[in-house]
Amino acid sequence: MLTNATVIEKTAYINGCWVEPGSRPSKDHFSPLNAELLVGRSLQLSKEDIDQAVQGAKEALPNWSSLSGTQRANYLYKAAQKLEDHLEELAQLLTVEMGKPIGEARGEVNRAVVLFRYYAGEGLRSIGEVLPSTDGVSHLYTTRVPLGVVGLITPWNFPVAIPVWKMAPALIFGNTVVWKPAEHSTITAAMLMQLLEESGLPKGVVQLVSGSGSVVGQSILDHPDVTGISFTGSDSVGKQVSQAASSRHAKYQLEMGGKNATIVLADADLERAADVIISAAMRSAGQKCTATSRVIVEKSVKEQLTSLLIERANRIKLSNPLKNDCYLGPVVSKRQYESILNFIQIGIREGAQVLAGGKAKTEGEFAKGYYIEPTILDHVDPQSTLAQEEIFGPVLVINEADHLDHAIDLANSVRYGLAAAVFTQNQKHIHHFVNRIEAGLIKVNGETAGVEPQAPFGGMKLSSSYSREQGRAAIEFFTQVKTVVITP
């Protein structure tokens, strides 16, 4: 386990070299498991540092983009192998830095391994098409070329998987990368970057820059040589990203918040639904943009489903996330901890009834960490704060519906449209739900969280900028099309 004797202090990697702390300001990072455990110190880079990183990525671009897809794929395969070889080490640091249970952390690192290998395979796929020419003699075709230098701004809740699901397609399609991780995951990002360096990735192809969003993030957004920005985070920051990028005609891609609903109809397997809903709501302490935060249940089975949910929530034991059997650990930070508890109190003041949890866990081994009980609230007004705002914690609210269309209307009544699920055995209801629900990721008899790497991912409404990540969809963002006409 990480101790104060193993503090990580090099968190920026520019032009193939680790930036020495020197006289640069730094920020201490403490573990949510124990707020007295110092995990690392992130360097707070300046605009001049970002200029240097972007220039390095720009200089590396011609050589990297001129490699064949197969040659670039070999680097991604090596990166995948390096992560696999150090899976446990990286997962443990991830857990210590942001509190994710170790089993989930291992799964996340393995997902990054799969993503690198998946996109390595894209190096052999077609990147254009031959089209018929009306004159009968010209050769007409399209090809795709890299976007250029791309800025990746990534969140803390998936500090390995999300950077890789942006980075891997960016690289395989010939771009170079300037990567800014969220401040709460900077230390994990530094280890990931170290593994990429050890895998032999060429100098300048990936630049890791650490620091505040107001300086480092804004410098990336404003830089004229950064052709594209891929961002995952809150909708408020996403709005700033879109404004900054569009003001200088940079391409941008946003994945933002969610207020995801699971609808449970009277014919559903309620035992299965309860198991899946609790997992979707409480795993990772609810800190997923695709987590289930609302259950909308048909009136005739509300009492039965509610009892099952309470029973399962009360069985969950908070524990140290480094324990192999941990189901629910701490939330990421004091600020997040206070925000979640404040949302619960707002809900109570607005008339919600706490059915399970609702409090912080502060005694014994939990005294120095940021632990919150798995919480379920009923009698929540569909237009209230709890039903409308993204809480990003282990909090589940229950709404009652008269019938399927009423349930869909309630599900659609928020500004987000990321993920949604329905539990039913009725095929007519399934297709009606799929057609009417306003969400980019739809599950039937499954949890809202999670999608396979080969499938496109993204939301509707304020959950995204209407583009998609992962799978073959990634080529749409990370490349641009050339149309070629050759006339003899």
Side-chain angles (χ1 to χ4, degrees):
M1 175 173 169
L2 195 73
T3 69
N4 280 338
T6 55
V7 170
I8 295 173
E9 294 186 294
K10 293 183 180 180
T11 61
Y13 184 79
I14 296 176
N15 296 334
C17 297
W18 288 96
V19 178
E20 295 293 336
S23 60
R24 286 180 174 83
S26 63
K27 181 177 181 179
D28 289 346
H29 293 257
F30 294 93
S31 173
L33 287 68
N34 180 342
E36 296 179 357
L37 174 62
L38 182 64
V39 183
R41 295 186 178 93
S42 63
L43 295 181
Q44 302 294 292
L45 299 188
S46 66
K47 178 183 181 300
E48 291 70 29
D49 291 319
I50 307 311
D51 289 343
Q52 183 183 356
V54 174
Q55 181 61 30
K58 184 179 179 180
E59 291 173 358
L61 182 63
N63 286 339
W64 180 251
S65 62
S66 67
L67 296 178
S68 68
T70 302
Q71 289 171 316
R72 291 194 294 267
N74 287 335
Y75 286 105
L76 268 61
Y77 281 125
K78 290 175 184 177
Q81 187 61 53
K82 183 61 69 171
L83 263 65
E84 191 168 55
D85 291 344
H86 294 270
L87 187 150
E88 185 65 23
E89 182 183 0
L90 185 55
Q92 288 205 20
L93 178 59
L94 189 165
T95 293
V96 170
E97 185 176 25
M98 60 80 58
K100 181 172 291 188
I102 186 64
E104 292 185 53
R106 291 178 183 127
E108 180 178 341
V109 177
N110 188 64
R111 182 180 179 88
V113 172
V114 171
L115 283 161
F116 269 131
R117 288 179 175 151
Y118 172 83
Y119 280 108
E122 289 295 296
L124 290 174
R125 292 282 292 269
S126 168
I127 57 169
E129 59 181 339
V130 176
L131 302 169
S133 173
T134 57
D135 67 13
V137 294
S138 294
H139 181 38
L140 173 60
Y141 68 96
T142 65
T143 187
R144 288 182 176 270
V145 296
L147 198 56
V149 176
V150 294
L152 308 182
I153 301 177
T154 60
W156 49 261
N157 60 328
F158 285 89
V160 175
I162 290 180
V164 171
W165 89 32
K166 294 177 185 291
M167 186 186 304
L171 295 178
I172 198 62
F173 298 130
N175 303 278
T176 54
V177 166
V178 178
W179 168 35
K180 182 207 174 299
E183 290 199 81
H184 287 311
S185 60
T186 304
I187 311 306
T188 301
M191 181 177 286
L192 175 56
M193 186 69 244
Q194 180 183 337
L195 296 175
L196 295 178
E197 178 190 35
E198 292 174 3
S199 73
L201 200 65
K203 171 184 172 181
V205 171
V206 175
Q207 314 270 3
L208 172 65
V209 293
S210 60
S212 70
S214 60
V215 176
V216 174
Q218 195 64 49
S219 297
I220 294 171
L221 293 178
D222 293 340
H223 203 290
D225 290 329
V226 176
T227 313
I229 306 288
S230 182
F231 166 84
T232 298
S234 70
D235 57 305
S236 59
V237 178
K239 183 177 181 180
Q240 297 172 35
V241 172
S242 67
Q243 291 172 340
S246 60
S247 70
R248 62 177 185 83
H249 200 57
K251 192 175 184 181
Y252 64 89
Q253 171 185 69
L254 310 176
E255 291 298 340
M256 298 175 286
K259 190 65 180 174
N260 312 300
T262 293
I263 293 172
V264 181
L265 299 181
D267 68 334
D269 180 337
L270 298 184
E271 294 279 351
R272 177 183 174 190
D275 287 338
V276 171
I277 290 166
I278 288 296
S279 174
M282 304 303 172
R283 292 284 188 184
S284 295
Q287 298 171 128
K288 298 178 181 178
C289 57
T290 53
T292 294
S293 59
R294 296 180 293 155
V295 173
I296 303 171
V297 56
E298 203 164 8
K299 184 184 298 184
S300 62
V301 292
K302 182 191 173 190
E303 184 177 347
Q304 186 179 352
L305 179 68
T306 299
S307 295
L308 293 172
L309 292 171
I310 294 169
E311 175 197 2
R312 283 154 174 77
N314 287 336
R315 286 205 306 252
I316 296 173
K317 302 299 182 185
L318 284 146
S319 62
N320 185 318
L322 286 167
K323 294 181 178 179
N324 285 325
D325 62 351
C326 176
Y327 189 101
L328 180 61
V331 299
V332 71
S333 67
K334 182 179 180 180
R335 179 179 178 182
Q336 187 72 4
Y337 172 83
E338 292 175 344
S339 173
I340 296 164
L341 293 174
N342 184 54
F343 270 118
I344 294 170
Q345 291 306 309
I346 289 172
I348 293 170
R349 289 197 297 271
E350 292 180 344
Q353 177 186 355
V354 177
L355 302 182
K359 302 186 297 296
K361 197 84 168 173
T362 57
E363 71 278 4
E365 65 177 308
F366 308 111
K368 296 179 181 178
Y370 303 124
Y371 294 84
I372 296 174
E373 296 172 339
T375 298
I376 300 176
L377 300 105
D378 196 4
H379 304 294
V380 178
D381 187 317
Q383 298 306 313
S384 68
T385 304
L386 275 186
Q388 292 289 316
E389 299 297 324
E390 185 176 38
I391 299 169
F392 227 60
V395 179
L396 181 66
V397 304
I398 299 175
N399 291 137
E400 179 181 288
D402 296 328
H403 45 71
L404 175 58
D405 276 318
H406 183 207
I408 293 172
D409 288 341
L410 290 173
N412 288 342
S413 68
V414 297
R415 66 183 186 272
Y416 300 111
L418 184 54
V422 66
F423 279 83
T424 181
Q425 304 304 314
N426 186 308
Q427 290 296 314
K428 182 178 178 181
H429 288 163
I430 289 170
H431 292 293
H432 187 66
F433 169 80
V434 169
N435 289 335
R436 280 207 59 212
I437 199 71
E438 296 169 356
L441 174 62
I442 298 169
K443 299 288 192 72
V444 177
N445 298 322
E447 67 176 76
T448 53
V451 66
E452 295 185 41
Q454 69 273 20
F457 175 80
M460 296 179 176
K461 301 193 284 190
L462 284 188
S463 288
S464 83
S465 55
Y466 303 99
S467 61
R468 292 293 180 264
E469 297 189 86
Q470 295 197 127
R472 284 289 289 171
I475 197 171
E476 297 296 332
F477 180 76
F478 288 111
T479 65
Q480 46 194 330
V481 175
K482 285 183 176 180
T483 299
V484 182
V485 183
I486 301 175
T487 302

